[in-house]
Amino acid sequence: ASSLRARAENINSAGLVYWGTLNDTGGGCNIGVAGTAHSTHTILTGRCFVSAQASTSGLVLATESAIPIIFSLNGLLTSNEAARITSDGKWGIGISSPSTIFHIKHADYSYLTLENTNSSTGVSGVEFYNSDSNKKMAWQLQANSDLALWRHDSTAWSRAVTIKNATGRVGIGTDQPTELLHVEVATDNQYPLYVHNGTTANGIIGIGIGNDAINWGMRINGASGDNFEIRNLTTGGVSKLAVTPTGEVGIGTSSPS
């Protein structure tokens, strides 16, 4: 396709500057000036245009029909496309068929950068909410470079999770975690860590701990009467202690009677 510089420039009686032929179906970009209302000019049908709107004193980039607006660099070839707004309002950067409202695609990196230049009090973040706009969630990079997940319960904001930039520690219910994972609860009789297997009949679920010499595991063994077991994982998962649901305790056996 030829560039705009190779087309003849024209101005119609209404003061509309355009490139291409003066008809309803031809291609080309039209630039409206002097507050001319674009809807009165059939020249714009099926075209993209830039128009100065007297009613809003603003600049409008629009199309007169359901066609995309495409941004290209270094020429008008399809391979030079950098971004587009599709006919149904989706924005694509690096992709011509975005699947979401805002879709970024790149071979090496796909980042959104939010930078706040106020180093003492500034924050950068993203806020999420659905049809109930009073209940929200937000990720924020704090002024001290910690990352925080905030929640709004229709009354006030509260911090739910903190990731410390300096140490990598994660705090749930606290913004000052003292361990790699620190869970803090404000009320008594809570189970702040809960591991559950509710989809498999007679399922087995557990957690493990270990150091450089040995690994231990705690689990519920659905294949053995739903016993609670402490096992030596380093020696093949041998059960060292088992407790049945009715309170029998076995040491050195997984089936206490």
Side-chain angles (χ1 to χ4, degrees):
S2 59
S3 68
L4 295 180
R5 289 173 300 183
R7 298 185 179 183
E9 179 179 320
N10 302 277
I11 303 176
N12 69 0
S13 58
L16 186 69
V17 180
Y18 64 94
W19 287 264
T21 56
L22 184 59
N23 56 53
D24 291 349
T25 59
C29 179
N30 306 283
I31 301 179
V33 295
T36 303
H38 63 78
S39 60
T40 62
H41 300 291
T42 58
I43 181 178
L44 299 176
T45 303
R47 314 269 187 97
C48 97
F49 64 94
V50 180
S51 179
Q53 296 297 292
S55 60
T56 61
S57 300
L59 188 67
V60 177
L61 174 64
T63 62
E64 280 287 306
S65 60
I67 57 176
I69 297 175
I70 300 172
F71 304 88
S72 292
L73 302 175
N74 302 318
L76 299 179
L77 296 176
T78 302
S79 59
N80 294 327
E81 179 177 328
R84 75 163 54 202
I85 306 172
T86 64
S87 59
D88 59 350
K90 295 184 176 71
W91 290 66
I93 298 177
I95 183 170
S96 60
S97 54
S99 58
T100 56
I101 292 296
F102 192 61
H103 189 163
I104 300 176
K105 182 178 181 180
H106 195 278
D108 298 319
Y109 56 88
S110 294
Y111 290 102
L112 281 175
T113 300
L114 304 176
E115 182 175 356
N116 192 304
T117 58
N118 188 332
S119 59
S120 59
T121 61
V123 298
S124 298
V126 180
E127 186 175 306
F128 306 91
Y129 60 91
N130 54 22
S131 57
D132 185 355
S133 59
N134 291 319
K135 295 182 179 180
K136 311 170 188 177
M137 300 287 287
W139 278 109
Q140 281 189 353
L141 183 66
Q142 309 298 118
N144 63 0
S145 298
D146 292 346
L147 184 64
L149 176 64
W150 293 77
R151 58 181 293 272
H152 194 286
D153 61 359
S154 299
T155 302
W157 285 99
S158 61
R159 191 185 301 213
V161 179
T162 298
I163 303 175
K164 302 295 288 185
N165 182 278
T167 62
R169 292 171 178 166
V170 178
I172 300 176
T174 176
D175 60 0
Q176 297 298 327
T178 58
E179 304 296 337
L180 191 59
L181 176 61
H182 182 159
V183 181
E184 187 83 16
V185 294
T187 56
D188 195 16
N189 196 26
Q190 300 291 308
Y191 296 88
L193 180 61
Y194 186 59
V195 182
H196 185 242
N197 180 356
T199 60
T200 304
N202 299 320
I204 298 173
I205 189 70
I207 59 175
I209 57 175
N211 60 14
D212 62 325
I214 193 169
N215 297 309
W216 288 92
M218 297 178 293
R219 74 176 189 175
I220 296 175
N221 188 353
S224 182
D226 293 322
N227 290 347
F228 172 75
E229 299 177 353
I230 296 178
R231 299 163 62 86
N232 186 336
L233 303 179
T234 303
T235 59
V238 177
S239 178
K240 298 300 182 180
L241 185 146
V243 182
T244 70
T246 55
E248 289 85 8
V249 177
I251 298 176
T253 176
S254 60
S255 301
S257 58

